[in-house]
Amino acid sequence: MARLHLFDLEGTLLYGTAAPVEISRQLGLEREIAELERDFVAGHIDSGQYAVRVHALWEGLTDTHVTAAFDGAPWLAGIRETWDAIRSNGDYCAVVSLSPSFFVERLLAWGAHAAHGSLFPDVPFTEPVNPTGVLTAAAKVEIANRLCEEFGVRTADCVAYGDSLSDLDLFAAMPVSVAVNADPRLVDLATHTYVGRDLWKAYELVRIPVIEALDEGGLLNSE
């Protein structure tokens, strides 16, 4: 059976940072985004309120800023190689993140089968953000279930990769999980734990080589 690998973005594929932080850095708004991040992590605002405030903060944001943020971000090594291997095994890989869709969707070019983020208007902004399109921790599970149906994958054959409390619901719903540079509370829920800067090494914790998969399926010695 094919498997679906579900990757968080902030702190998982990005090392020690988040897409809004990298975007804000391009605008010289490090202090402002740090304050907003603290309010969100502390639970003073929810994901919809965060989106409205960050949208207002990014007045003047252009596609050039987003490209610079994406290209200059501290990505884990081996992302494209890992996703190439997943594809070669006949499996699927997807990114599900609370970050803006216009940033997350750029990972489709790196080999993700799907990339879902909070729905923001196109850059440069000419309209407000709709809070109903902003993802939550629970929405990650809903998207995972939709992707399983779309790809014909059982929930029992899913692997979740994450780092923070926004991944708690997803880890609780998936049978196999990998905590990547993660909050201790997420580590307690995880099947595996990885600390480092190479996604391939995290993937190796759950990788099933093609030859092994064929053997488990009884295909190697079939007549």
Side-chain angles (χ1 to χ4, degrees):
M1 294 291 294
R3 295 200 296 173
L4 171 60
H5 297 259
L6 296 155
F7 296 89
D8 173 51
L9 176 64
E10 301 80 5
T12 304
L13 299 178
L14 288 172
Y15 184 77
T17 189
V21 174
E22 297 305 307
I23 293 169
S24 298
R25 183 172 289 122
Q26 297 298 319
L27 296 167
L29 298 170
E30 290 92 340
R31 179 181 60 82
E32 291 85 350
I33 193 64
E35 292 176 356
L36 189 53
E37 287 282 317
R38 282 194 294 270
D39 283 347
F40 181 63
V41 172
H44 298 152
I45 57 174
D46 61 23
S47 57
Q49 293 167 321
Y50 177 97
V52 170
R53 287 175 58 179
V54 81
H55 176 274
L57 186 64
W58 289 341
E59 183 181 7
L61 182 65
T62 67
D63 190 66
T64 300
H65 292 124
V66 179
T67 297
F70 187 91
D71 292 345
W75 298 99
L76 262 61
I79 294 175
R80 278 175 275 201
E81 292 81 1
T82 299
W83 291 352
D84 283 346
I86 288 172
R87 283 176 167 271
S88 296
N89 280 349
D91 294 334
Y92 299 92
C93 51
V95 182
V96 184
S97 168
L98 305 188
S99 283
S101 51
F102 59 74
F103 189 96
V104 180
E105 290 169 1
R106 289 174 179 244
L107 289 167
L108 293 170
W110 285 16
H113 288 92
H116 292 270
S118 294
L119 296 179
F120 269 65
D122 292 337
V123 175
F125 298 143
T126 58
E127 56 187 74
V129 64
N130 186 344
T132 63
V134 177
L135 299 189
T136 63
K140 286 189 173 186
V141 179
E142 295 171 5
I143 291 172
N145 290 334
R146 290 205 304 268
L147 290 173
C148 283
E149 184 176 351
E150 177 181 343
F151 296 137
V153 175
R154 302 179 305 172
T155 303
D157 295 312
C158 289
V159 182
Y161 303 74
D163 77 300
S164 70
L165 299 185
S166 69
D167 300 306
L168 281 173
D169 289 0
L170 190 61
F171 272 41
M174 297 296 113
V176 179
S177 54
V178 183
V180 180
N181 300 316
D183 183 292
R185 287 167 289 183
L186 195 69
V187 169
D188 290 341
L189 271 181
T191 312
H192 305 280
T193 301
Y194 171 72
V195 177
R197 302 189 67 163
D198 189 337
L199 188 63
W200 179 263
K201 292 180 180 179
Y203 170 58
E204 278 192 318
L205 297 172
V206 297
R207 183 171 70 97
I208 300 176
V210 173
I211 188 88
E212 181 182 336
L214 290 173
D215 190 39
E216 287 182 354
L219 300 178
L220 292 182
N221 297 317
S222 60
E223 296 295 334

